[in-house]
Amino acid sequence: MVANDTTSMSNEPLLVVEDLKTHFHLKAGAVKAVDGVSLSLDRGKTIGIVGESGSGKTVLSRTIMGLNLGSNVHTEGSVHYQGNEILGLRAKQMRNYWGREISMIFQDPMTSLNPVVKIGRQVTEHLRHHLDMSKAEANDVALQLLHEVRIPEASERLNAYPHELSGGMRQRVCIAIALACGPKLLFADEPTTALDVTVQHQIMNLLGREQDDRDMAMVLVTHDLGVVAGRTDEIAVMYAGRVVERARTSDLFANVKMPYTEALLRSIPRTTQRSHTRLAAIPGRPPDLIHPPSGCSFSPRCAYAQDICHEEMPSLIEAGAGHVYRCHTPVGSNAATESFETNLAAGLPQAVSIKLHADAVAQQEGVA
Amino acid sequence: MGKLIIVRLLRMFATLLAVSAITFFMLKLLPGDPINQIVPLEKLDDLELVAEKEREYNLHGSSIEQYGRWLKGALRGDLGKAITQPKRVSEIIGDRWTITAELALVSVIFSVLLALPIGIFSAYRQGRTSDRVLSAGLQTGLSIPSFVIGVFLILIFAENFKILPATGWTRLSDSVWGNVKGVILPAIALSMANMAVFARLIRADMIATLQENYILSAKAKGMSDWFILFRHALRPSSLSVITVIALNLGALLGGTVVIEQLFAIGGLGRQLYDSILRRDYFVVQGITVVIASVYVVLNTMVDFVYLAIDPRIRGGRH
């Protein structure tokens, strides 16, 4: 059973992750998918985990949840949920948390529902399993849930199969499934990536509303800073298995320190830009996690990198209350400006592309 | 969906027609005239007798006419006259088919009952020692011919322990217990190779299904492994094994020849074998058509089972 120590409930964070490491042991060597991540999340709050594909954000959320990591995986560190260590628990013990205390919404609603099982059973089976409901009781709850996630003709939908629903509707069903047992913590792993833009917006609003109503904490995993901007209390930016910048959402956008965060922000296309403006992609590709670059893992792609960046992994530096980053040459510092000039003069592609992008934007604004 | 079923049924009848025509004309292509078998060599000059016999055995007129008459008879359940015994072909088949059908059915049931738990368990423990041991065992089962298994079974259970009969067949109507005792050994001998095939198919499909995202979502809901295996993974993993089970059932109807010979059981397979040796043309033809038809019907039934298992197929236009 899940221990519920009510006295410490109010001040203690719901989830505390400390120095979490997830390494996959392959023949070629150890893949350090998550390499020393620390986080904490209060009840009812939202943290956004942001990074490109391969930055370790999905593995991080699966590790915290203890889900589906193969036999070749090695985890280290600690994950406290309501003060209890849950990292390294056996699946049998984790089943008391899964679905009931902690649940997850997956990226692709087209494949995360069983195609040969009716929606009704998929929404009710864990209700019956965890909360010992009768079939009729569980059906009532399911109907209620489908109404809540705004699925029209809910009672007919209970008898439908997943292929009879659109992608957006399926993701609503997945949300209903995740919410069914009233979890206190929800992992949403790129919940809108597979959906088109208008549906994305609706789904994010639905998630936000449900979260407020239920006072549920959420870990929102995404590659899109635009998605997390207005919907999270805190953001952790991940790169190569590490958190490279973490701050309250407003602080992060007001005062970006990590060049990688800045590059992610720059890569969001703006509506004010003229059509056919070049996208500001980040040159290069995410590092090899078996043989990560020495020094800062972002240094090979960083426009502000100096010699020290290639040699020494920066430690977490505090920039203000709750704002930490890993960088030798933080955005806006003199060191950054100097090394940018040097790199531009040396013709490094990452520096040149920033210059070109800035010029293009300036030119457009000049025309306008 | 109703339309889909009608289309499948129409297609089945068209296939049956083609099967009957192919069987009929293929045997016509064989060298030699069946009349040589019917009328003794010294009486072949007696044209009146030959004409009479030709009429009796449906050998008069053109091949097309013969096929037409034969088909008309077949639709009424009459497959012509046997040459080497004074019986109708349909009588001989009616006499024998229950034995072979029972043998095939029991052996398929044996193999499915064994294959299901083995396949599911191996998939669940994929790559671990228990899975490897089972896989090696299946490989062995697959590579031993059924008659070798049959000989060993006879040695152990009939010769050594004397609990089951080595040969012979008791009809269900004569003695239920005798019938059960008689079917066990040949059915086991027949089922081993199929069991290995079924178990490997279930294992492979199950492993693929267990990688699916919806299995991970079921796990994230906190459902037990047992529940996930049987209530989520089994159904989507059973399509190909069901096809193979039905095909094997069809194949067994014609493929029990060796085992029927070994256990001295007078089923359809043994009859087919004897009739080929004795050149009883019409019996061979009849049995072939019956076996082929069972195949076609089983295949259509598989399509209907698909409809029941996978709701996505129901909506499609096929």
Side-chain angles (χ1 to χ4, degrees), chain A residues 74-134:
Chain A
H74 173 77
T75 53
E76 237 179 77
S78 83
V79 176
H80 281 90
Y81 175 80
Q82 295 191 326
N84 299 317
E85 176 66 63
I86 59 168
L87 187 71
L89 286 188
R90 292 168 159 275
K92 206 176 163 188
Q93 295 160 299
M94 280 312 290
R95 256 177 236 131
N96 293 320
Y97 294 89
W98 288 336
R100 169 185 232 175
E101 289 284 325
I102 309 175
S103 58
M104 188 176 252
I105 299 169
F106 295 90
Q107 176 169 350
D108 188 358
M110 308 312 255
T111 59
S112 51
L113 292 171
N114 192 331
V116 302
V117 176
K118 285 181 181 170
I119 301 287
R121 202 191 101 200
Q122 303 199 50
V123 183
T124 55
E125 59 188 11
H126 55 317
L127 279 168
R128 301 186 59 192
H129 177 76
H130 288 307
L131 306 179
D132 266 334
M133 285 188 186
S134 71

Coordinates of all heavy atoms in Angstrom, one line a residue, chain A residues 74-134:
Chain A
H74 N 20.9 0.3 -16.0 CA 21.4 0.4 -14.7 C 20.9 1.8 -14.2 O 21.2 2.8 -14.8 CB 22.9 0.4 -14.7 CG 23.6 0.7 -13.4 ND1 23.6 -0.2 -12.4 CD2 24.2 1.8 -13.0 CE1 24.2 0.4 -11.4 NE2 24.6 1.6 -11.7
T75 N 20.2 1.8 -13.0 CA 19.8 3.1 -12.5 C 20.5 3.4 -11.2 O 20.8 2.5 -10.4 CB 18.3 3.2 -12.3 OG1 17.9 2.1 -11.5 CG2 17.5 3.1 -13.6
E76 N 20.6 4.7 -10.9 CA 21.3 5.1 -9.7 C 20.7 6.4 -9.2 O 20.0 7.1 -10.0 CB 22.8 5.4 -10.0 CG 23.8 4.7 -9.3 CD 25.2 5.1 -9.7 OE1 25.7 6.2 -9.3 OE2 25.8 4.3 -10.5
G77 N 20.8 6.7 -8.0 CA 20.2 8.0 -7.5 C 19.0 7.7 -6.6 O 18.8 6.5 -6.2
S78 N 18.1 8.7 -6.5 CA 16.9 8.4 -5.7 C 15.7 9.1 -6.3 O 15.9 10.2 -6.9 CB 17.2 8.7 -4.2 OG 16.9 10.1 -4.1
V79 N 14.6 8.5 -6.1 CA 13.3 9.1 -6.5 C 12.4 9.0 -5.3 O 12.0 7.8 -4.9 CB 12.7 8.4 -7.7 CG1 11.3 9.0 -8.0 CG2 13.6 8.5 -8.9
H80 N 12.0 10.1 -4.7 CA 11.1 10.0 -3.5 C 9.8 10.5 -4.0 O 9.6 11.6 -4.5 CB 11.6 10.9 -2.4 CG 12.7 10.2 -1.6 ND1 14.0 10.3 -1.9 CD2 12.6 9.3 -0.5 CE1 14.7 9.6 -1.0 NE2 13.9 8.9 -0.2
Y81 N 8.8 9.7 -3.8 CA 7.4 10.1 -4.0 C 6.7 10.1 -2.7 O 6.6 9.1 -2.0 CB 6.7 9.1 -5.0 CG 5.2 9.4 -5.2 CD1 4.8 10.3 -6.1 CD2 4.3 8.7 -4.5 CE1 3.5 10.6 -6.3 CE2 2.9 9.0 -4.7 CZ 2.6 9.9 -5.6 OH 1.2 10.2 -5.8
Q82 N 6.2 11.3 -2.3 CA 5.6 11.4 -1.0 C 6.5 10.9 0.1 O 6.0 10.3 1.1 CB 4.2 10.7 -0.9 CG 3.2 11.3 -1.8 CD 1.8 10.8 -1.6 OE1 1.6 9.7 -1.2 NE2 0.8 11.7 -1.7
G83 N 7.8 11.2 0.0 CA 8.7 10.8 1.0 C 9.2 9.4 0.9 O 10.1 9.0 1.7
N84 N 8.6 8.5 0.1 CA 9.0 7.1 0.0 C 9.9 6.9 -1.2 O 9.6 7.4 -2.3 CB 7.8 6.2 -0.2 CG 6.9 6.3 1.0 OD1 7.3 6.4 2.2 ND2 5.6 6.4 0.7
E85 N 11.0 6.2 -1.0 CA 11.9 5.8 -2.1 C 11.1 4.9 -3.1 O 10.7 3.8 -2.6 CB 13.1 5.2 -1.6 CG 14.1 4.7 -2.7 CD 14.7 5.8 -3.5 OE1 15.4 6.7 -2.9 OE2 14.4 5.8 -4.7
I86 N 11.0 5.2 -4.3 CA 10.3 4.3 -5.3 C 11.3 3.8 -6.4 O 10.9 2.9 -7.1 CB 9.1 4.9 -5.9 CG1 9.4 6.2 -6.7 CG2 8.0 5.2 -4.9 CD1 8.2 6.6 -7.6
L87 N 12.5 4.4 -6.4 CA 13.4 3.9 -7.4 C 13.9 2.5 -7.1 O 14.3 2.3 -5.9 CB 14.6 4.8 -7.6 CG 15.6 4.5 -8.7 CD1 14.9 4.8 -10.1 CD2 16.9 5.3 -8.6
G88 N 13.9 1.6 -8.0 CA 14.4 0.2 -7.7 C 13.3 -0.7 -7.1 O 13.6 -1.8 -6.9
L89 N 12.1 -0.2 -7.0 CA 11.0 -1.1 -6.5 C 10.7 -2.1 -7.6 O 10.8 -1.8 -8.8 CB 9.8 -0.3 -6.2 CG 9.7 0.5 -4.9 CD1 8.3 1.1 -4.7 CD2 10.2 -0.3 -3.7
R90 N 10.3 -3.3 -7.2 CA 9.9 -4.3 -8.2 C 8.6 -3.9 -8.8 O 7.8 -3.2 -8.2 CB 9.7 -5.6 -7.5 CG 11.0 -6.2 -7.0 CD 10.8 -7.4 -6.1 NE 12.0 -8.2 -6.0 CZ 12.3 -9.1 -6.9 NH1 11.4 -9.4 -7.9 NH2 13.4 -9.8 -6.8
A91 N 8.3 -4.4 -10.0 CA 7.1 -4.1 -10.7 C 5.9 -4.4 -9.9 O 4.9 -3.6 -9.9 CB 7.0 -4.9 -12.0
K92 N 6.0 -5.4 -9.1 CA 4.8 -5.8 -8.3 C 4.5 -4.7 -7.3 O 3.3 -4.5 -7.0 CB 5.2 -7.1 -7.5 CG 4.1 -8.0 -7.1 CD 4.6 -9.2 -6.5 CE 3.5 -9.9 -5.7 NZ 3.9 -11.0 -4.9
Q93 N 5.5 -4.1 -6.7 CA 5.3 -3.0 -5.8 C 4.8 -1.7 -6.5 O 4.0 -1.0 -6.0 CB 6.5 -2.7 -4.9 CG 6.9 -3.9 -4.1 CD 8.3 -3.9 -3.6 OE1 9.3 -3.9 -4.4 NE2 8.6 -3.8 -2.3
M94 N 5.5 -1.5 -7.7 CA 5.1 -0.3 -8.4 C 3.7 -0.3 -8.9 O 3.1 0.8 -9.1 CB 6.1 -0.1 -9.6 CG 7.4 0.4 -9.3 SD 7.4 1.9 -8.3 CE 6.7 3.1 -9.5
R95 N 3.1 -1.5 -9.0 CA 1.7 -1.5 -9.5 C 0.7 -0.8 -8.6 O -0.4 -0.5 -9.0 CB 1.3 -3.0 -9.7 CG 1.3 -3.4 -11.2 CD 0.9 -4.8 -11.4 NE 2.0 -5.4 -12.2 CZ 2.6 -6.5 -11.9 NH1 2.2 -7.2 -10.9 NH2 3.6 -6.9 -12.7
N96 N 1.2 -0.7 -7.3 CA 0.3 0.1 -6.4 C 0.3 1.6 -6.7 O -0.6 2.3 -6.3 CB 0.8 -0.1 -5.0 CG 0.5 -1.5 -4.5 OD1 -0.5 -2.1 -4.8 ND2 1.5 -2.1 -3.8
Y97 N 1.4 2.0 -7.4 CA 1.5 3.4 -7.8 C 0.9 3.7 -9.2 O 0.2 4.6 -9.4 CB 2.9 3.9 -7.7 CG 3.5 3.9 -6.3 CD1 4.2 2.8 -5.8 CD2 3.5 5.1 -5.6 CE1 4.7 2.8 -4.6 CE2 4.0 5.1 -4.3 CZ 4.7 4.0 -3.8 OH 5.2 4.0 -2.5
W98 N 1.3 2.8 -10.1 CA 0.9 2.9 -11.5 C -0.6 3.0 -11.6 O -1.3 2.2 -11.2 CB 1.4 1.8 -12.3 CG 2.9 1.7 -12.5 CD1 3.7 2.8 -12.5 CD2 3.7 0.6 -12.8 NE1 5.0 2.4 -12.7 CE2 5.0 1.0 -13.0 CE3 3.4 -0.8 -13.1 CZ2 6.1 0.2 -13.3 CZ3 4.4 -1.6 -13.3 CH2 5.8 -1.1 -13.5
G99 N -1.0 4.1 -12.4 CA -2.4 4.2 -12.7 C -3.2 4.8 -11.5 O -4.1 5.6 -11.8
R100 N -2.8 4.6 -10.3 CA -3.6 5.0 -9.2 C -3.0 6.3 -8.6 O -3.7 7.2 -8.3 CB -3.6 3.8 -8.2 CG -4.1 4.2 -6.9 CD -3.8 3.0 -6.0 NE -5.1 2.7 -5.4 CZ -5.3 1.6 -4.6 NH1 -4.3 0.7 -4.4 NH2 -6.4 1.4 -4.0
E101 N -1.7 6.3 -8.3 CA -1.0 7.5 -7.8 C -0.3 8.3 -8.9 O -0.3 9.5 -8.8 CB 0.1 7.0 -6.8 CG -0.5 6.4 -5.5 CD -1.0 7.5 -4.6 OE1 -0.4 8.6 -4.6 OE2 -2.0 7.3 -3.9
I102 N 0.3 7.5 -9.8 CA 1.1 8.2 -10.8 C 0.6 7.6 -12.1 O 0.5 6.4 -12.3 CB 2.6 7.8 -10.7 CG1 3.1 8.1 -9.3 CG2 3.4 8.6 -11.7 CD1 4.5 7.6 -9.1
S103 N 0.3 8.4 -13.1 CA -0.1 7.8 -14.4 C 0.6 8.6 -15.5 O 1.2 9.6 -15.3 CB -1.6 7.7 -14.6 OG -2.2 9.0 -14.5
M104 N 0.4 8.1 -16.7 CA 1.2 8.6 -17.8 C 0.3 8.7 -19.1 O -0.5 7.8 -19.3 CB 2.4 7.7 -18.1 CG 3.3 8.3 -19.1 SD 4.8 7.3 -19.3 CE 6.0 8.3 -18.5
I105 N 0.5 9.8 -19.8 CA -0.1 9.9 -21.1 C 1.0 9.9 -22.2 O 2.0 10.5 -22.0 CB -0.8 11.3 -21.3 CG1 -1.9 11.4 -20.2 CG2 -1.4 11.4 -22.7 CD1 -2.5 12.8 -20.2
F106 N 0.8 9.0 -23.2 CA 1.9 8.8 -24.1 C 1.8 9.7 -25.3 O 0.7 10.3 -25.6 CB 1.9 7.3 -24.5 CG 2.2 6.5 -23.4 CD1 1.2 5.9 -22.6 CD2 3.5 6.2 -23.0 CE1 1.5 5.1 -21.5 CE2 3.9 5.4 -22.0 CZ 2.8 4.8 -21.2
Q107 N 2.8 9.7 -26.1 CA 2.9 10.6 -27.3 C 1.9 10.3 -28.3 O 1.3 11.2 -28.9 CB 4.4 10.5 -27.8 CG 4.6 11.3 -29.1 CD 6.0 11.3 -29.4 OE1 6.9 10.9 -28.7 NE2 6.3 11.9 -30.6
D108 N 1.7 9.0 -28.7 CA 1.0 8.7 -29.9 C -0.4 8.1 -29.5 O -0.4 6.9 -29.3 CB 1.8 7.8 -30.8 CG 1.1 7.6 -32.1 OD1 0.0 8.2 -32.3 OD2 1.7 6.9 -33.0
P109 N -1.4 8.8 -29.6 CA -2.7 8.2 -29.2 C -3.2 7.2 -30.2 O -4.0 6.4 -29.9 CB -3.7 9.4 -29.2 CG -3.1 10.4 -30.1 CD -1.6 10.2 -30.0
M110 N -2.6 7.2 -31.4 CA -3.0 6.2 -32.4 C -2.5 4.8 -32.0 O -3.1 3.8 -32.4 CB -2.4 6.5 -33.8 CG -2.6 7.9 -34.3 SD -4.4 8.4 -34.1 CE -4.9 8.3 -35.8
T111 N -1.4 4.7 -31.3 CA -0.9 3.4 -30.9 C -1.0 3.1 -29.4 O -0.7 1.9 -29.0 CB 0.6 3.2 -31.3 OG1 1.3 4.2 -30.6 CG2 0.7 3.4 -32.8
S112 N -1.4 4.0 -28.6 CA -1.4 3.7 -27.2 C -2.7 3.2 -26.6 O -2.9 2.9 -25.5 CB -0.9 4.9 -26.4 OG -1.6 6.0 -26.7
L113 N -3.7 3.0 -27.6 CA -4.9 2.3 -27.2 C -4.9 0.9 -27.9 O -4.5 0.8 -29.0 CB -6.2 3.1 -27.6 CG -6.4 4.4 -26.8 CD1 -7.5 5.2 -27.5 CD2 -6.7 4.1 -25.4
N114 N -5.4 -0.1 -27.1 CA -5.4 -1.5 -27.7 C -6.5 -1.5 -28.8 O -7.7 -1.3 -28.6 CB -5.7 -2.5 -26.7 CG -5.5 -3.9 -27.1 OD1 -5.6 -4.2 -28.3 ND2 -5.1 -4.8 -26.2
P115 N -6.1 -1.8 -30.1 CA -7.0 -1.8 -31.2 C -8.2 -2.8 -31.1 O -9.2 -2.6 -31.8 CB -6.2 -2.0 -32.4 CG -5.0 -2.7 -31.9 CD -4.7 -2.2 -30.5
V116 N -8.0 -3.9 -30.4 CA -9.0 -4.9 -30.4 C -9.9 -4.9 -29.1 O -10.6 -5.8 -28.8 CB -8.4 -6.3 -30.6 CG1 -7.7 -6.3 -31.9 CG2 -7.6 -6.7 -29.5
V117 N -9.7 -3.8 -28.3 CA -10.4 -3.8 -27.0 C -11.3 -2.5 -27.0 O -10.8 -1.4 -27.4 CB -9.5 -3.7 -25.8 CG1 -10.3 -3.6 -24.5 CG2 -8.6 -5.0 -25.8
K118 N -12.6 -2.7 -26.7 CA -13.5 -1.5 -26.7 C -13.0 -0.4 -25.7 O -12.5 -0.7 -24.7 CB -14.9 -2.0 -26.3 CG -15.6 -2.7 -27.4 CD -17.0 -3.1 -27.0 CE -17.7 -3.9 -28.2 NZ -18.9 -4.5 -27.8
I119 N -13.3 0.8 -26.1 CA -12.9 2.0 -25.3 C -13.4 1.8 -23.8 O -12.7 2.0 -22.9 CB -13.6 3.3 -25.8 CG1 -13.2 3.5 -27.3 CG2 -13.3 4.5 -24.9 CD1 -11.8 4.0 -27.5
G120 N -14.7 1.3 -23.7 CA -15.2 1.2 -22.4 C -14.4 0.3 -21.4 O -14.1 0.7 -20.3
R121 N -13.9 -0.8 -21.9 CA -13.1 -1.7 -21.1 C -11.8 -1.0 -20.8 O -11.2 -1.1 -19.7 CB -12.9 -3.0 -21.7 CG -12.5 -4.1 -20.6 CD -12.0 -5.4 -21.2 NE -10.6 -5.5 -21.2 CZ -9.8 -6.3 -21.9 NH1 -10.4 -7.0 -22.8 NH2 -8.5 -6.3 -21.8
Q122 N -11.2 -0.3 -21.8 CA -9.9 0.3 -21.5 C -10.0 1.5 -20.5 O -9.0 1.7 -19.8 CB -9.3 0.8 -22.9 CG -9.2 -0.3 -23.9 CD -8.2 0.0 -25.0 OE1 -7.1 0.5 -24.8 NE2 -8.6 -0.2 -26.2
V123 N -11.2 2.1 -20.4 CA -11.3 3.2 -19.4 C -11.6 2.6 -18.0 O -11.3 3.2 -17.0 CB -12.4 4.2 -19.9 CG1 -12.5 5.3 -18.9 CG2 -12.1 4.8 -21.2
T124 N -12.2 1.4 -18.0 CA -12.7 0.9 -16.7 C -11.9 -0.2 -16.1 O -12.0 -0.4 -14.9 CB -14.1 0.3 -16.9 OG1 -14.1 -0.7 -17.9 CG2 -15.1 1.4 -17.2
E125 N -11.0 -0.8 -16.8 CA -10.4 -2.0 -16.3 C -9.5 -1.7 -15.0 O -9.5 -2.5 -14.1 CB -9.5 -2.8 -17.3 CG -8.5 -2.0 -18.0 CD -7.8 -2.7 -19.1 OE1 -8.3 -3.8 -19.5 OE2 -6.8 -2.2 -19.6
H126 N -8.8 -0.6 -15.1 CA -8.0 -0.3 -13.9 C -8.8 0.3 -12.7 O -8.4 0.2 -11.6 CB -6.8 0.6 -14.3 CG -7.2 1.9 -14.9 ND1 -8.1 2.0 -15.9 CD2 -6.7 3.2 -14.8 CE1 -8.2 3.2 -16.4 NE2 -7.4 4.0 -15.7
L127 N -10.0 0.9 -13.1 CA -10.9 1.3 -12.0 C -11.3 0.1 -11.2 O -11.3 0.1 -10.0 CB -12.1 2.0 -12.6 CG -12.0 3.5 -13.0 CD1 -13.2 3.9 -13.9 CD2 -11.9 4.3 -11.8
R128 N -11.7 -0.9 -12.0 CA -12.1 -2.1 -11.3 C -11.0 -2.8 -10.5 O -11.2 -3.3 -9.4 CB -12.8 -3.1 -12.3 CG -13.9 -2.4 -13.0 CD -14.6 -3.4 -14.0 NE -15.1 -4.5 -13.2 CZ -15.6 -5.6 -13.8 NH1 -15.6 -5.7 -15.1 NH2 -16.0 -6.6 -13.0
H129 N -9.8 -2.8 -11.1 CA -8.7 -3.4 -10.5 C -8.2 -2.7 -9.3 O -8.0 -3.3 -8.2 CB -7.5 -3.5 -11.6 CG -6.3 -4.1 -11.1 ND1 -6.1 -5.4 -10.9 CD2 -5.1 -3.5 -10.7 CE1 -4.9 -5.7 -10.4 NE2 -4.3 -4.5 -10.3
H130 N -8.0 -1.4 -9.4 CA -7.5 -0.6 -8.2 C -8.5 -0.3 -7.2 O -8.2 -0.3 -6.0 CB -6.8 0.7 -8.7 CG -5.6 0.5 -9.5 ND1 -4.5 -0.2 -9.0 CD2 -5.2 1.0 -10.7 CE1 -3.5 -0.1 -9.9 NE2 -3.9 0.5 -10.9
L131 N -9.7 0.1 -7.6 CA -10.7 0.6 -6.7 C -11.8 -0.4 -6.4 O -12.8 0.0 -5.8 CB -11.2 2.0 -7.2 CG -10.2 3.0 -7.6 CD1 -10.9 4.3 -8.1 CD2 -9.3 3.4 -6.4
D132 N -11.6 -1.6 -6.9 CA -12.6 -2.7 -6.6 C -14.0 -2.3 -7.0 O -15.0 -2.6 -6.3 CB -12.5 -3.0 -5.1 CG -11.6 -4.2 -4.9 OD1 -11.4 -5.0 -5.9 OD2 -11.0 -4.3 -3.8
M133 N -14.2 -1.6 -8.1 CA -15.5 -1.2 -8.5 C -16.3 -2.3 -9.2 O -15.6 -3.2 -9.8 CB -15.5 0.0 -9.4 CG -15.1 1.3 -8.8 SD -15.3 2.6 -9.9 CE -14.7 4.0 -9.0
S134 N -17.6 -2.3 -9.1 CA -18.3 -3.3 -9.9 C -18.3 -2.7 -11.3 O -18.0 -1.6 -11.6 CB -19.7 -3.4 -9.4 OG -20.4 -2.2 -9.7

